[in-house]
């Protein structure tokens, strides 16, 4: 932990609402990523290998066909594996430090030193087998998995070659590393968590700028205009995203059926008008961590100075559903159990809603317990059976359908916020939306 760098953020952009955005230059981002990686290997990996009983983890990846796990282990300046990159992690005894090797032509960052000299031993696979045989591992974990694509990165060819070379007496020791891979991907370290709130704050401020008069001119701006503004803003700030944003509209118009739109299709482009209820789905990637945020805003009609109370009341039903869900986060419960308990409570309170919450971290839809799917509110076999662990992050994602008599129709309140489970309670990284945002923001010195 002593090696962790202080994060000295440089202010490079300011926006109209809230504090300045602080994003590190790319060189400093790389330093943070590499320092976090060393910390994870030194302090987290021994714990996880002991927990899962795998004393040797072999991760094999070919250039531009990256195993999802190896992408989290490469140094910041590596955009891909090089040729065939093989990482070997060996724990000689429970809770001991993990020995790390790169059976590759190059060192892989600071942690994985080269353990193969092609000039002396041209056969990379033979070099790998000699390393494995020298350790005599009891369980050799490989990344093949039934329930998680994140843990299923070993290709058919590489598995076949590995098993052809592996001595027969060791073949019975090969096991799936699914649980180890999921635990590695899902677990957040103290150093990562110290910064996650800031990452979410950046995402919140970008969302708020997009849902403002700085971007939206009612009667002129379209939802696609806003979507592409978000994409440009992300690039401008030296950030990345893991999905294309979306902006959609619900309105009182009897012909509008937006609240019934299937999530299987993107919303159509539409001009934003006064009286519209807007919904944004947006995420950024920064320092290899991801956000996933859905918020809502209302475009004030002429004469209005605040969001109508009936819409705010509908919005609060979504907040209540969030509370129900997070109150059922109990360490050791599976995603399916959390979903079932939440839905029973939701229905007992007369809430019509859907829950589709997922892990969040190195991937936007990350590894860990799945808690419902938008198209399946029952059990999710496999990923839904995975238990909840401490020190893990989630996108608390759901919707509540509320009948609004003033519109004579249902309104769908769609919310999503990043949050952390510490083993006892859920804490939102940077708070959650509690009130509908007004466009334009009201000014105290103006009045009718």
């Amino acid at each position: 932990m002593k090696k962790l760098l202080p994060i000295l953020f440089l202010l490079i952009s300011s926006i109209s609402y809230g504090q300045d955005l602080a994003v590190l230059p790319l060189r400093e981002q790389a330093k943070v990523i590499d320092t976090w990686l060393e910390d994870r290997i030194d302090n987290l990996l021994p714990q996880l290998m002991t927990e899962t009983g795998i004393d040797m983890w072999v991760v094999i990846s070919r250039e531009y066909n990256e195993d999802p796990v190896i992408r989290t282990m490469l140094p910041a300046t590596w955009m891909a594996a090089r040729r065939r990159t093989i990482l070997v992690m060996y724990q000689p005894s429970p809770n001991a430090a993990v020995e790390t090797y790169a059976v590759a032509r190059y060192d892989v960052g600071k942690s994985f030193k080269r353990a193969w000299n092609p000039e002396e031993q041209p056969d990379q696979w033979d070099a790998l087998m000699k390393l494995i045989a020298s350790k005599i591992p009891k369980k050799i974990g490989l990344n093949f998995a039934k329930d998680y694509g994140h843990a299923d990165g070993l290709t058919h060819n590489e598995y076949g070659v590995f098993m052809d070379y592996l001595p027969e007496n060791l073949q019975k020791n090969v096991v799936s590393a699914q649980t180890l891979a999921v635990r590695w991907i899902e677990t957040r370290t103290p150093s990562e968590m110290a910064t996650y709130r800031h990452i979410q704050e950046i995402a919140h401020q970008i969302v708020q700028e997009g849902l403002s008069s700085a971007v939206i001119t009612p009667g002129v701006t379209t939802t696609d205009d806003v979507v592409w503004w978000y994409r440009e803003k992300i690039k401008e700030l030296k950030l990345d995203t893991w999905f294309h944003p979306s902006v959609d509209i619900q309105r009182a118009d009897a012909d509008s059926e937006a609240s019934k739109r299937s999530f299987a299709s993107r919303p159509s482009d539409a001009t934003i008008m006064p009286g519209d209820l807007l919904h944004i789905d947006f995420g950024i990637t920064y320092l290899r961590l991801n956000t996933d945020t859905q918020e809502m805003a209302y475009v004030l009609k002429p004469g209005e100075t605040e969001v109508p109370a009936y819409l705010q009341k509908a919005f609060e039903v979504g907040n209540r559903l969030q509370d129900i869900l997070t109150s059922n986060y109990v360490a050791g419960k599976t995603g399916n159990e959390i979903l079932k308990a939440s839905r029973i409570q939701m229905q007992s309170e007369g809430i019509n809603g859907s829950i589709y919450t997922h892990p969040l971290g190195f991937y936007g839809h990350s590894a860990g317990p799945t808690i419902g799917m938008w198209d399946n509110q029952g059990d999710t076999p496999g990923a839904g059976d995975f238990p909840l662990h401490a020190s893990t992050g989630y996108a608390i994602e759901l919707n509540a359908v509320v009948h609004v008599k003033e519109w004579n129709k249902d309104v769908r309140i769609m919310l999503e916020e990043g949050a952390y489970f510490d083993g006892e309670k859920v804490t939102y990284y940077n708070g959650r939306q509690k009130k509908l945002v007004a466009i334009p923001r009201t000014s105290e010195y103006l009045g009718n």
Side-chain angles (χ1 to χ4, degrees):
M1 298 294 288
K2 293 181 180 178
K3 296 185 293 183
L4 295 181
L5 296 174
I7 299 179
L8 304 176
F9 292 106
L10 303 180
L11 304 183
I12 66 169
S13 175
S14 62
I15 61 175
S16 302
Y17 304 98
Q19 299 176 342
D20 288 341
L21 286 176
V23 178
L24 286 168
L26 295 179
R27 185 177 185 180
E28 298 306 313
Q29 290 185 38
K31 290 179 181 178
V32 172
I33 289 169
D34 289 343
T35 302
W36 283 357
L37 178 56
E38 289 182 68
D39 175 41
R40 291 178 64 86
I41 291 170
D42 292 344
N43 299 299
L44 175 62
L45 188 59
Q47 168 194 329
L48 299 181
M49 292 186 72
T50 299
E51 175 188 309
T52 57
I54 291 177
D55 56 332
M56 178 172 282
W57 192 10
V58 181
V59 180
I60 305 169
S61 193
R62 293 165 76 180
E63 192 166 4
Y64 302 118
N65 191 21
E66 276 66 42
D67 180 308
V69 170
I70 208 171
R71 290 179 60 190
T72 71
M73 293 179 168
L74 296 177
T77 54
W78 282 42
M79 306 306 175
R82 295 179 180 176
R83 300 189 183 182
R84 175 183 291 108
T85 299
I86 303 175
L87 304 182
V88 178
M89 292 148 278
Y90 175 65
Q91 188 175 44
S93 61
N95 299 310
V98 175
E99 300 171 12
T100 54
Y101 305 93
V103 183
R105 287 181 172 271
Y106 317 90
D107 289 346
V108 180
K110 294 181 180 179
S111 295
F112 295 93
K113 297 301 181 182
R114 186 176 73 147
W116 173 46
N117 186 338
E119 284 67 40
E120 296 179 2
Q121 170 55 276
D123 192 326
Q124 185 180 17
W125 290 106
D126 209 30
L128 172 61
M129 295 308 145
K130 288 180 179 178
L131 175 61
I132 293 174
S134 72
K135 305 300 180 182
I136 317 177
K138 299 179 180 65
K139 285 189 178 181
I140 304 170
L142 298 180
N143 289 349
F144 57 86
K146 174 184 177 183
D147 301 321
Y148 289 93
H150 313 85
D152 196 35
L154 182 63
T155 65
H156 178 78
N157 180 78
E158 300 300 271
Y159 175 79
V161 176
F162 179 90
M163 295 303 291
D164 285 344
Y165 270 82
L166 188 68
E168 187 174 347
N169 67 307
L170 290 175
Q171 292 191 7
K172 66 181 182 302
N173 298 0
V174 173
V175 299
S176 166
Q178 173 173 281
T179 300
L180 176 55
V182 172
R183 295 289 288 122
W184 166 263
I185 289 172
E186 77 166 350
T187 305
R188 301 276 65 80
T189 64
S191 50
E192 291 166 346
M193 281 309 307
T195 307
Y196 223 135
R197 177 175 181 174
H198 176 76
I199 297 171
Q200 183 65 68
E201 182 184 22
I202 292 172
H204 277 160
Q205 292 195 37
I206 297 171
V207 168
Q208 287 299 296
E209 185 179 5
L211 297 177
S212 76
S213 298
V215 175
I216 295 172
T217 301
V220 175
T221 307
T222 71
T223 51
D224 274 0
D225 292 337
V226 180
V227 165
W228 285 103
W229 178 89
Y230 280 120
R231 288 297 304 274
E232 293 288 350
K233 188 70 174 182
I234 289 167
K235 286 294 185 183
E236 174 189 325
L237 293 172
K238 296 186 175 68
L239 300 168
D240 292 311
T241 186
W242 60 280
F243 70 97
H244 190 58
S246 66
V247 176
D248 58 270
I249 293 172
Q250 296 178 75
R251 51 180 47 141
D253 185 347
D255 294 331
S256 174
E257 297 292 332
S259 65
K260 299 177 182 179
R261 178 181 61 85
S262 169
F263 294 148
S265 60
R266 287 188 63 84
S268 57
D269 190 24
T271 301
I272 297 169
M273 299 295 292
D276 283 347
L277 185 62
L278 303 183
H279 163 254
I280 168 71
D281 191 356
F282 172 85
I284 62 171
T285 303
Y286 179 44
L287 300 174
R288 282 192 178 164
L289 297 175
N290 294 275
T291 70
D292 198 357
T293 305
Q294 294 181 48
E295 295 192 351
M296 303 187 74
Y298 174 77
V299 184
L300 298 177
K301 293 189 288 188
E304 289 182 327
T305 58
E306 60 184 22
V307 175
Y310 59 84
L311 287 180
Q312 178 58 35
K313 185 177 179 181
F315 184 86
E316 290 166 3
V317 177
N319 285 155
R320 175 56 191 155
L321 186 51
Q322 290 174 319
D323 292 339
I324 291 171
L325 171 60
T326 57
S327 71
N328 284 293
Y329 268 58
V330 177
K333 279 192 174 183
T334 67
N336 289 332
E337 290 170 337
I338 294 168
L339 175 67
K340 183 177 181 180
S342 300
R343 286 191 59 79
I344 289 172
Q345 189 174 346
M346 172 189 83
Q347 290 164 0
S348 73
E349 296 187 19
I351 297 174
N352 177 17
S354 297
I355 295 169
Y356 32 97
T357 286
H358 56 85
L360 183 69
F362 283 138
Y363 293 93
H365 291 161
S366 201
T370 293
I371 306 173
M373 307 283 280
W374 68 263
D375 55 351
N376 177 21
Q377 290 294 282
D379 286 353
T380 300
D385 296 319
F386 199 83
L388 185 68
H389 292 92
S391 304
T392 50
Y394 299 88
I396 305 299
E397 184 178 12
L398 46 77
N399 76 70
V401 178
V402 183
H403 185 76
V404 175
K405 66 178 182 179
E406 289 81 358
W407 283 17
N408 193 32
K409 65 192 309 182
D410 289 342
V411 167
R412 188 159 61 184
I413 304 300
M414 294 169 280
L415 299 174
E416 186 171 19
E417 292 287 2
Y420 178 71
F421 179 64
D422 64 8
E424 296 183 0
K425 65 181 185 303
V426 174
T427 302
Y428 291 98
Y429 289 134
N430 188 50
R432 56 172 168 159
Q433 186 180 13
K434 297 293 290 288
K435 293 183 178 180
L436 284 167
V437 174
I439 305 172
R441 309 293 195 267
T442 55
S443 299
E444 291 183 2
Y445 73 96
L446 297 174
N448 292 320

